């Protein structure tokens, strides 16, 4: 919609330069308003196709939904709207997301006989993903301090840590491990062992990340700490527990 508004503004500017009569703001606003719901539905349709749910959100379903809201469109208009969305994004829509990594790992865990049901883990993972998004900086700051065992990281250490922030697979295993601890802490070590086997990520890294997420979600006291303990020591304790049970 932003792209469309920019295009309208660009066209209006050109018309003024060429001394042509430009559409007034009221007319332009109505055009944007009338296209908003259609564009929104097109985004949902495209997302469903990427997630292999295209049979659930079919063109007929969409047309009936729009009609219930008082909007009448044809299948051709739906396709044109999808194409407009794709053009606005330069056809770059198949971008990786942390959720895609989480769901892929959960599916593998289900096949591997994970003791915690994948449906339960999935619901908790969604909540923790939202939390990590909202508390991105403090969670990664605590993870950085734990990894270098220093409360004051240097600028160079911070720059090298950027690759960790961009690692969606590491984020996914941390999210799932933290979710497993919340759902059933007795099965936590088994889940972490499976994640280590699937991804090759070290147990200590999974433990440190899950601990960072847990301390910002359920709190340190819930993890059984009675008094302050340095994060890296707690993570090592979690890692030792995982090693002894796998």
């Amino acid at each position: 919609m932003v792209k469309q508004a920019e295009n309208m503004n660009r066209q209006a500017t050109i018309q003024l330069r060429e001394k042509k009569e430009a559409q007034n703001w009221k007319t332009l606003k109505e055009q944007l308003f009338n296209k908003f719901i259609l564009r929104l539905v097109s985004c949902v349709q495209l997302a469903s196709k990427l997630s292999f749910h295209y049979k659930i959100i079919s063109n007929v379903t969409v047309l009936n939904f729009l009609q219930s809201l008082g909007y009448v469109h044809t299948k051709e208009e739906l396709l044109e709207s999808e194409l407009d969305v794709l053009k606005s994004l330069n056809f770059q829509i198949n971008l990786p997301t942390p959720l895609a990594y989480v769901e892929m790992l959960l599916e593998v865990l289900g096949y591997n006989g994970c003791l915690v049901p994948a449906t339960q883990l999935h619901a908790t993972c969604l909540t923790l993903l939202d939390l990590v998004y909202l508390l991105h900086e403090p969670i990664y700051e605590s993870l950085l301090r734990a990894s270098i065992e220093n409360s004051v990281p240097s600028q160079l250490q911070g720059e090298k840590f950027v690759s960790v922030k961009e690692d969606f697979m590491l984020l996914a295993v941390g999210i799932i491990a933290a979710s497993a601890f919340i759902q059933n802490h007795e099965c936590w070590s088994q889940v972490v062992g499976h994640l280590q086997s699937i991804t090759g990520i070290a147990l200590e890294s999974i433990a440190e990340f899950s601990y960072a997420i847990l301390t910002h979600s359920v709190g340190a006291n819930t993890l059984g700490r009675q008094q302050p303990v340095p994060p890296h020591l707690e993570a090592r304790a979690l890692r030792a527990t995982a090693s002894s049970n796998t």
Side-chain angles (χ1 to χ4, degrees):
M1 293 307 297
V2 173
K3 291 282 188 181
Q4 186 174 351
E6 290 176 347
N7 289 335
M8 286 183 172
N9 179 65
R10 193 177 301 110
Q11 291 174 3
T13 303
I14 294 174
Q15 288 175 343
L16 289 174
R17 288 177 180 174
E18 295 178 353
K19 297 182 179 181
K20 294 181 180 179
E21 184 177 354
Q23 292 178 301
N24 58 42
W25 167 242
K26 184 179 180 180
T27 303
L28 294 175
K29 185 178 179 180
E30 288 179 355
Q31 289 179 8
L32 285 173
F33 180 80
N34 292 334
K35 293 279 184 154
F36 180 78
I37 298 298
L38 180 60
R39 292 289 187 270
L40 183 61
V41 171
S42 294
C43 291
V44 174
Q45 273 195 288
L46 289 170
S48 71
K49 290 176 180 178
L50 288 174
S51 303
F52 303 105
H53 296 307
Y54 62 93
K55 292 183 179 180
I56 299 176
I57 309 179
S58 64
N59 286 340
V60 175
T61 302
V62 171
L63 290 174
N64 291 335
F65 171 74
L66 290 171
Q67 188 174 6
S68 69
L69 296 177
Y71 298 96
V72 180
H73 292 284
T74 64
K75 290 184 178 180
E76 289 73 19
E77 288 175 330
L78 288 182
L79 294 174
E80 289 176 2
S81 181
E82 285 188 33
L83 187 59
D84 287 339
V85 172
L86 290 171
K87 288 179 178 178
S88 298
L89 298 174
N90 295 321
F91 293 88
Q92 297 179 4
I93 61 172
N94 194 19
L95 300 176
T97 64
L99 179 59
Y101 285 82
V102 168
E103 292 182 336
M104 176 188 65
L105 290 174
L106 287 177
E107 187 172 353
V108 177
L109 284 174
Y111 282 115
N112 288 355
C114 178
L115 295 177
V116 185
T119 52
Q120 293 182 16
L121 286 176
H122 186 270
T124 308
C125 285
L126 291 178
T127 301
L128 292 182
L129 276 172
D130 289 340
L131 179 78
V132 172
Y133 177 78
L134 295 171
L135 301 178
H136 185 272
E137 287 304 318
I139 288 176
Y140 276 94
E141 281 295 325
S142 61
L143 184 62
L144 172 58
R145 291 194 296 269
S147 64
I148 64 174
E149 301 184 7
N150 191 335
S151 60
V152 185
S154 66
Q155 181 178 352
L156 180 59
Q157 288 171 326
E159 292 173 353
K160 289 184 177 180
F161 195 70
V162 172
S163 60
V164 176
K165 292 183 177 181
E166 297 174 349
D167 192 336
F168 285 170
M169 184 64 78
L170 177 60
L171 172 59
V173 297
I175 289 288
I176 295 174
S179 300
F181 188 91
I182 293 173
Q183 288 292 333
N184 188 344
H185 66 274
E186 294 180 355
C187 300
W188 181 85
S189 58
Q190 188 232 31
V191 174
V192 172
H194 278 308
L195 291 172
Q196 191 275 333
S197 177
I198 296 168
T199 64
I201 296 175
L203 292 173
E204 184 173 2
S205 297
I206 300 175
E208 286 180 349
F209 210 142
S210 61
Y211 176 78
I213 295 171
L214 287 167
T215 51
H216 286 84
S217 55
V218 299
N221 290 333
T222 308
L223 300 180
R225 300 194 321 173
Q226 299 300 322
Q227 51 186 326
V229 178
H232 67 279
L233 296 181
E234 184 70 23
R236 286 177 178 175
L238 290 173
R239 191 253 306 178
T241 302
S243 299
S244 64
N245 288 281
T246 55

